[in-house]
Amino acid sequence: MRDFSYSRATSADQARQAAIQSGAMLLAGGTTLLDLAKCGVFEPEAVIDITHLPGFSDIEMDAAGARIGALAKMGEVADHPAIRANFPAVSESLLLAASAQLRNMATVGGNLLQRTRCPYFRDPATFPACNKRSPGSGCSAIGGVTRNHAVLGTSEACIASYPGDLAVALVAFDASVDLGGRTVLADEFFLTPGDRPDRDTVIEPGEMIAGIVIPASPAAKNSTYLKVRDRQSYEFAAASAAVGLELEEDGRTVRDIRVALGGVATKPWRARAVEQALVGKALDAASVEKASRLAMEGAVSHGANRYKIELAPRVVARAILQMGGLA
Amino acid sequence: MTRTVHLSLEINGKTRELDVEPRVTLLDALREHLELTGTKKGCDQGQCGACTVHVDGKRVLSCLTLAAQVEGRQIATIEGLAAENGDLHPVQAAFLEHDAFQCGYCTPGQIMSAVACIREGHAGSDEEIREYMAGNLCRCGAYNSIVAAVREAAEAA
Ligand SMILES: Cc1cc2nc3c(=O)[nH]c(=O)nc-3n(C[C@H](O)[C@H](O)[C@H](O)COP(=O)(O)OP(=O)(O)OC[C@H]3O[C@@H](n4cnc5c(N)ncnc54)[C@H](O)[C@@H]3O)c2cc1C
Ligand code: SF4
Ligand code: FES
Ligand code: FES
């Protein structure tokens, strides 16, 4: 790890000013920053610790929804009574992520900005070619080992999957990211790689995530996060789904449904085609399974990640059936 | 040019002074600068839990924490767990009783994690212990005995 200077930000403005300087990086929980600095992926010259800024870790809930400060810890948010009661999928997405230790350290703002776990991206010494790290250098994953790479939203430049869980739940429930000066829908905050895989999000140098805003809704209140992975715990998703469901008074007909996928796409992936196929319809296993397959419209595999195209619709279907009381 | 920062850390109730480069992790500060080698380095990348310590009473990974970040916080390591007179902490005693290790390399991290797990109220069943202790890997596969030790210590707590 290259040496860097360390300072504590005294105000949000000062942090933003400092972060504009080339070579400067904001430090929250440090669980992505230090990990990638050790890999040689990040080479900061100045690290600015923002965790002592007051007022950025509050979790507030009113009738309109929740506002979560960017510096709130993953574990605190997961266990917060208002989040658990009104946004079970958000709480579960956090509880099923990383480990208890990491959830005590990592912030929700940093969580959104975690980088892909593409093993080629993480190993610059062995694999110099990576368009996400060094634009124009090529992609070592295409034609390589792709078990955890994306099948949705890929480009010829990059097929890396977005690894986070929280963002999947946020995208399902139309949450926004508060960047101080502007607020962006979570779905629009994340970018597909296209020909600029070095850009994961719309955040600009000198911008800081101030918080996350999640609107309350009956679907968000009746929601779940289902995560399937290679081992039971402490692992990223092979495929995951955030699902929220609101039924009509008859208890069968779908009034509102939200579906987003993780572990299979280059960004947290809202599956609107699945939602549209089910809204206004009576829920039954056959129609749910058929609709869930629409989540994979446009999917492209690169060898070893082919299984995700089969797995992801089943994860979506199981989550919907669970919420509908049919599984 | 090597820049160093002067840090004053509260470790196991004692103030320790040191001069380190800003990039030095809490794990390396403990092991290389303060001769507190009970905390182990497994992966050095957040993937194994061997380096688990407590900061302000919460379990964290010292390999992904800068020493400079925790100035002003209360740090607790495995060396501070037993009583002054040498009496073992109940979780340490339960690990001995249940033979909850083979090589012992993961053990300090397991024990620090278990103490916090019990304090958090996440040791109510074997299933819950397995989930909330999932951040501590054991290459020797002593998991069954670890779960038994944590359960016994939790029941006694
Ligand atoms: C072993 C391991 C397993 C993991 N498993 C999972 C998992 O299963 N699911 C999952 O979702 N995640 C997982 N993670 C990722 C983890 O959740 C993230 O590393 C963490 O959430 C990042 O948050 P942080 O506060 O530590 O960020 P930091 O490392 O401090 O920062 C991350 C990045 O965001 C920037 N940044 C931080 N805060 C702000 C802000 N407010 N405004 C602007 N920029 C900011 C930093 O400059 C940096 O570039 C895992 C991590 C590890 C090491
Ligand atoms: S998939 Fe993306 S992140 Fe991975 S090597 Fe290719 S360009 Fe880099
Ligand atoms: S050494 Fe810190 S988690 Fe492995
Ligand atoms: S006892 Fe050997 S690694 Fe756990």
Side-chain angles (χ1 to χ4, degrees):
Chain A
M1 178 163 48
R2 199 161 89 180
D3 199 20
F4 46 72
S5 69
Y6 169 89
S7 62
R8 289 186 179 180
T10 49
S11 71
D13 279 341
Q14 188 252 330
R16 290 188 193 98
Q17 285 301 321
I20 292 183
Q21 310 300 317
S22 88
M25 286 190 92
L26 300 179
L27 176 76
T31 63
T32 287
L33 195 156
L34 293 174
D35 178 29
L36 289 177
K38 289 179 186 194
C39 296
V41 173
F42 286 170
E43 295 188 315
E45 284 160 24
V47 163
I48 301 135
D49 185 350
I50 55 174
T51 53
H52 298 266
L53 293 179
F56 285 91
S57 357
D58 301 342
I59 304 169
E60 293 157 340
M61 180 79 206
D62 63 21
R67 198 202 136 78
I68 304 170
L71 295 177
K73 299 281 165 57
M74 288 171 71
E76 285 163 13
V77 177
D79 291 336
H80 195 279
I83 302 298
R84 287 172 55 176
N86 296 288
F87 308 100
V90 172
S91 169
E92 291 166 20
S93 74
L94 290 164
L95 283 177
L96 294 172
S99 66
Q101 289 95 316
L102 285 158
R103 296 193 295 270
N104 280 339
M105 307 164 71
T107 64
V108 293
N111 185 278
L112 300 184
L113 295 174
Q114 66 180 287
R115 306 300 302 273
T116 183
R117 305 299 287 195
C118 170
Y120 304 100
F121 171 83
R122 290 174 57 83
D123 188 356
T126 322
F127 301 102
C130 170
N131 288 323
K132 195 179 269 305
R133 239 180 21 231
S134 337
S137 61
C139 170
S140 298
I142 296 175
V145 179
T146 58
R147 183 175 163 76
N148 265 320
H149 287 78
V151 294
L152 289 165
T154 57
S155 72
E156 281 173 17
C158 178
I159 59 169
S161 55
Y162 175 78
D165 294 298
L166 169 65
V168 178
L170 297 183
V171 161
F173 302 112
D174 295 322
S176 313
V177 183
D178 176 359
L179 292 171
R182 58 178 178 144
T183 299
V184 186
L185 271 178
D187 197 16
E188 291 163 10
F189 179 75
F190 294 96
L191 300 171
T192 53
D195 58 4
R196 285 295 308 276
D198 54 311
R199 297 196 71 201
D200 288 358
T201 71
V202 300
I203 199 162
E204 298 285 347
E207 276 189 314
M208 196 176 108
I209 300 181
I212 296 167
V213 181
I214 324 176
S217 68
K221 201 177 170 90
N222 184 45
S223 67
T224 191
Y225 188 76
L226 181 62
K227 181 173 176 182
V228 173
R229 37 191 164 169
D230 285 348
R231 60 182 182 195
Q232 177 79 29
S233 187
Y234 200 16
E235 186 55 275
F236 291 91
S240 68
V243 164
L245 181 65
E246 182 191 11
L247 295 175
E248 302 284 359
E249 265 75 64
D250 65 6
R252 292 195 63 207
T253 311
V254 177
R255 182 181 291 163
D256 185 14
I257 180 163
R258 311 294 181 86
V259 181
L261 282 80
V264 296
T266 52
K267 61 177 259 184
W269 199 259
R270 181 84 176 259
R272 292 188 199 272
V274 180
E275 300 174 2
Q276 278 153 17
L278 289 170
V279 90
K281 308 272 164 54
L283 270 196
D284 63 66
S287 58
V288 167
E289 275 153 28
K290 183 157 172 256
S292 297
R293 268 181 249 140
L294 298 172
M296 289 294 113
E297 271 180 345
V300 181
S301 80
H302 288 82
N305 62 354
R306 194 178 307 114
Y307 75 99
K308 289 183 191 269
I309 298 179
E310 274 304 310
L311 178 62
R314 296 184 196 188
V315 175
V316 169
R318 192 195 294 174
I320 298 175
L321 292 171
Q322 270 173 16
M323 293 322 294
L326 297 169
Chain B
M1 184 199 72
T2 313
R3 314 168 259 209
T4 59
V5 283
H6 182 79
L7 299 178
S8 163
L9 300 180
E10 296 290 322
I11 302 172
N12 301 327
K14 295 193 189 75
T15 305
R16 304 287 303 264
E17 310 272 336
L18 66 164
D19 292 290
V20 291
E21 292 175 6
R23 66 174 162 178
V24 168
T25 60
L26 175 58
L27 175 60
D28 286 340
L30 293 169
R31 292 184 56 84
E32 311 291 335
H33 297 266
L34 298 170
E35 294 180 357
L36 290 168
T37 54
T39 306
K40 300 298 182 220
K41 183 185 281 192
C43 64
D44 208 23
Q45 290 203 306
Q47 299 177 5
C48 76
C51 65
T52 302
V53 300
H54 298 174
V55 172
D56 286 344
K58 295 211 158 130
R59 46 176 162 162
V60 301
L61 301 176
S62 58
C63 72
L64 292 183
T65 303
L66 294 177
Q69 263 173 294
V70 290
E71 214 181 10
R73 311 265 197 224
Q74 296 294 328
I75 300 150
T77 71
I78 190 77
E79 286 90 349
L81 211 52
E84 292 274 331
N85 66 5
D87 283 354
L88 292 183
H89 184 281
V91 175
Q92 290 174 307
F95 267 65
L96 277 182
E97 166 77 23
H98 287 273
D99 231 356
F101 41 76
Q102 283 183 37
C103 76
Y105 198 79
C106 71
T107 312
Q110 298 280 2
I111 290 176
M112 293 309 283
S113 193
V115 169
C117 180
I118 295 168
R119 191 158 55 206
E120 292 158 12
H122 288 140
S125 66
D126 285 5
E127 204 187 342
E128 195 182 19
I129 292 168
R130 285 181 191 281
E131 174 57 30
Y132 279 87
M133 290 293 293
N136 293 83
L137 305 191
C138 174
R139 286 300 297 269
C140 299
Y143 294 112
N144 288 339
S145 308
I146 294 170
V147 171
V150 176
R151 191 181 55 224
E152 186 188 278
E155 280 162 5

